Amino acid sequence: MEYGTDVKNRLRRAEGQVRGVLKMMEEGKECREVVAQLSAIRTAIDRSIGLVIANHLQACIREELEKGNDPDQVIKEAVELLVKSR
């Protein structure tokens, strides 16, 4: 599967946020500030997961339809991936 630049850019931003949190910790920033940034990172990662699964689902459904197959199993697998990611 090919991953688009949009999801890679999201993950690069999250990577930068993690580095920022580490710096905040080294500087002794308040717990609330650190936790707020960690929550933002988690949200960014969750959205990246959703984007990866959505792109995968679209490609797999198209592929199954082109083969003349029912895409229900692909949809079920995508839902399971989403559930496991939480």
Side-chain angles (χ1 to χ4, degrees):
M1 179 173 169
E2 209 170 300
Y3 298 97
T5 55
D6 52 345
V7 74
K8 291 176 189 175
N9 287 340
R10 284 174 183 258
L11 292 174
R12 285 187 185 103
R13 275 194 300 274
E15 179 182 29
Q17 287 176 299
V18 169
R19 277 192 246 106
V21 168
L22 289 170
K23 184 177 178 188
M24 290 172 69
M25 290 176 163
E26 290 168 359
E27 294 171 352
K29 298 288 183 180
E30 291 295 319
C31 172
R32 288 181 194 153
E33 294 176 54
V34 171
V35 170
Q37 288 304 308
L38 289 171
S39 293
I41 294 166
R42 181 174 50 203
T43 299
I45 296 297
D46 286 345
R47 288 184 177 164
S48 297
I49 289 169
L51 188 58
V52 168
I53 292 171
N55 289 338
H56 175 72
L57 182 60
Q58 288 175 344
C60 289
I61 286 174
R62 259 189 242 109
E63 185 179 310
E64 290 301 309
L65 291 173
E66 286 171 4
K67 292 178 183 176
N69 297 334
D70 184 0
D72 284 348
Q73 183 60 32
V74 172
I75 295 168
K76 181 180 175 187
E77 289 171 8
V79 170
E80 288 173 4
L81 276 174
L82 279 172
V83 170
K84 285 180 185 178
S85 72
R86 292 303 310 162

